[in-house]
Amino acid sequence: MSIGNNLNQIKASLPNNVTLVAVSKTKPNQAIIEAYEAGQHIFGENKIQEMTEKFEVLPKDIQWHMIGHVQRNKVKYIAPYVSLIHGVDSFKLLQEINKQAKKHNRIIPCLLQIFIAKEETKFGLDKTELFEILNSEEFKALENISIKGLMGMATFTDNESIIRQEFISLKEIYDEVNQKFGHLENLDITTLSMGMSNDYKIAIECGSTMIRIGSSIFGSRNY
Ligand SMILES: *Cc1c(COP(=O)(O)O)cnc(C)c1O
């Protein structure tokens, strides 16, 4: 199957309110062009340097999403152009994004990453930390970021009921954030980023509005 065919097949199966992020990490520019020509304009990368190199040479109407862990000292490289940062997992990182966004006179859309998996390797805030941030006066003062919602990754397992449980718990936190904090100036809750190649169908059933798909579009990664 070609990249274009893979994309069309996935898109045809998605509800209207679900946005597809094509995860192009480790893939060459030629593969991205192929997807772009098939109509895909949103791409996700997990390394700052790789994403910036691709941004510089690929079509300017591509929307670049940073889906990986972000180190504070590297925010400055993506601040001029990034469309959405999925993996914000600390208040300090949010402050740095705000500072760099201000330099470029823009408001950078962000998702807060929530830890829902049973694995210790995955990044993210727990619910207590999330609410601490949103309740703080320092958060309300950040004028150059806009929190669009939450992102999470389920445990890597074949056990569907574990995955489903984790996605349901993230959807519950998402609804609660919207209810309790939706009135804040720098929150505009529209996006629940959950679901990858192996679990996006379950994620959509649980209320996902944004899925991040790599291998089902581009083929498996060789690393
Ligand atoms: C790599 C990656 C994906 C895509 O994974 P696939 O299994 O290839 O669909 C999604 N989200 C994040 C955060 C990733 O790092």
Side-chain angles (χ1 to χ4, degrees), residues 3 8 25 40 96 100 106 110 113 116 118 126 144 148 158 161-162 167 170-171 173 188 194 214 217:
I3 289 171
N8 289 336
K25 62 188 185 197
Q40 180 65 27
E96 177 63 17
Q100 297 298 333
R106 49 181 309 232
C110 296
Q113 182 170 358
I116 52 171
K118 301 202 168 20
D126 65 26
N144 292 79
K148 299 292 180 190
D158 289 335
S161 77
I162 291 179
F167 285 151
L170 184 56
K171 173 65 158 74
I173 300 171
D188 173 22
M194 59 183 196
I217 297 171

Side-chain angles (χ1 to χ4, degrees), residues 14-34:
L14 299 182
N16 282 334
N17 67 327
V18 175
T19 301
L20 172 63
V21 178
V23 176
S24 50
K25 62 188 185 197
T26 77
K27 297 297 171 184
N29 292 342
Q30 188 47 45
I32 298 176
I33 291 286
E34 217 175 306

Side-chain angles (χ1 to χ4, degrees), residues 88-210:
V88 179
D89 62 354
S90 76
F91 184 66
K92 283 189 161 168
L93 176 57
L94 208 50
Q95 279 180 309
E96 177 63 17
I97 296 168
N98 188 71
K99 181 176 143 192
Q100 297 298 333
K102 198 168 189 157
K103 280 190 190 163
H104 296 279
N105 200 19
R106 49 181 309 232
I107 293 172
I108 296 184
C110 296
L111 303 177
L112 295 168
Q113 182 170 358
I114 309 301
F115 181 83
I116 52 171
K118 301 202 168 20
E119 296 150 22
E120 282 183 18
T121 53
K122 291 196 171 132
F123 292 101
L125 302 159
D126 65 26
K127 194 173 152 181
T128 311
E129 293 165 333
L130 170 70
F131 279 51
E132 248 170 51
I133 291 175
L134 297 178
N135 270 316
S136 71
E137 289 305 317
E138 292 98 321
F139 172 74
K140 288 171 198 151
L142 301 180
E143 294 181 336
N144 292 79
I145 52 105
S146 176
I147 302 294
K148 299 292 180 190
L150 304 180
M151 180 271 223
M153 289 168 86
T155 303
F156 186 72
T157 172
D158 289 335
N159 186 330
E160 275 202 18
S161 77
I162 291 179
I163 295 172
R164 190 175 297 275
Q165 269 306 308
E166 292 172 353
F167 285 151
I168 288 171
S169 74
L170 184 56
K171 173 65 158 74
E172 281 170 2
I173 300 171
Y174 175 81
D175 288 338
E176 202 176 331
V177 167
N178 204 9
Q179 215 171 39
K180 292 201 170 125
F181 302 98
H183 63 281
L184 296 181
E185 285 284 330
N186 51 7
L187 253 82
D188 173 22
I189 301 293
T190 56
T191 304
L192 180 55
S193 169
M194 59 183 196
M196 309 175 26
S197 292
N198 290 329
D199 57 18
Y200 76 90
K201 289 181 180 137
I202 305 171
I204 290 171
E205 286 168 16
C206 297
S208 170
T209 69
M210 185 172 277

